Each structure stands twice: as C-alpha cells, then as structure tokens.
Amino acid sequence: GHGSEHQANSAYALMEYAFRDLGRPDVLVGTVEGYPDFAAVLRRLKELPRVREVELRPLMTVAGDHAKHDLAGEGPDSWKGVLEGLGYTARPVLTGLGEYPQVRDLFVKHARQAQA
C-alpha cells in the first residue's frame, strides 16, 4: 500500500492480521510510506522459509508511479530488486484496485451512501 503517518495507516497491519486469521499467513502487507514498511515485510517473510516465490501486488487504487518504480522497478532498490537479490523470484502484478469491477462497485456504493 501507499501508507502515511495518519492513524488510519493502522488498517494495513490489521488487514494482514485478518488474512492470518482467515488461514492465509502467506499474505504480507507493506507500505511505501508508513508502517508496516518493506523492512517489516522482509522480517516477516523470513518467518516463511519455504516461500521462494513472491507475488507483488499494489494495494492502491491505481498502479501508478509507486507501483511501477518502488514495487516493480528494474533497479536494485525496488522491492522486486531487493527480493531478487535475496534469492526470491519476484513477480509483480501491476493491477490497481480500481481495475477490479467489485472494487469499483464498492466505491460507487459508498459514494451513494455518502450522498444520501
């Protein structure tokens, strides 16, 4: 996710906790700006020694600059580059949340509720 210093940023850690509670300890959530940051993701990834392939997906409405450069860039400092440097196979999937019809429907529903 993007992340921020706002208290709502805690939703990222909560989301990962919810995935674990639903039986998906293999889903890790990190942010570009805020906590959990990439260093925290790497620490938790080490707790999963069987994992050698990582799928990187932006938790952002649009897969823009952060997704293309920070997450999936070809440089050694991108999340992909760091993971590959550590011996993982990193596969970015640059699909923003806004590209999923279900998410768009939810945005519309919330906008209509806010209008009422």
Side-chain angles (χ1 to χ4, degrees), residues 31-53:
T31 63
V32 178
E33 298 176 14
Y35 180 85
D37 59 10
F38 187 44
V41 170
L42 291 175
R43 284 191 305 272
R44 292 190 312 279
L45 188 56
K46 287 179 184 177
E47 296 170 4
L48 302 169
R50 292 185 191 166
V51 173
R52 300 312 308 159
E53 286 187 39

Side-chain angles (χ1 to χ4, degrees), residues 11 22 32 65 73 75 102 107:
L22 293 170
V32 178
D65 190 60
Q102 301 90 333
F107 283 173

Side-chain angles (χ1 to χ4, degrees), residues 1-21 24-38 40-41 44 57-62 66-67 71 79 97 107:
H2 187 279
S4 75
E5 297 303 317
H6 190 273
Q7 70 247 18
N9 193 78
S10 61
Y12 291 108
L14 177 62
M15 181 180 291
E16 183 174 316
Y17 182 86
F19 274 114
R20 285 178 184 253
D21 193 47
R24 293 296 308 268
D26 59 327
V27 176
L28 305 177
V29 178
T31 63
V32 178
E33 298 176 14
Y35 180 85
D37 59 10
F38 187 44
V41 170
R44 292 190 312 279
R57 291 181 172 264
L59 188 56
M60 302 171 184
T61 306
V62 176
H66 280 304
L71 189 71
W79 290 28
L97 295 175
F107 283 173

Side-chain angles (χ1 to χ4, degrees), residues 91-111:
R91 186 170 57 91
V93 179
L94 296 182
T95 304
L97 295 175
E99 295 183 59
Y100 295 102
Q102 301 90 333
V103 173
R104 289 194 307 267
D105 291 346
L106 188 61
F107 283 173
V108 170
K109 177 182 173 188
H110 288 178

Side-chain angles (χ1 to χ4, degrees), residues 81-93:
V82 170
L83 288 163
E84 289 176 344
L86 293 171
Y88 294 93
T89 300
R91 186 170 57 91
V93 179

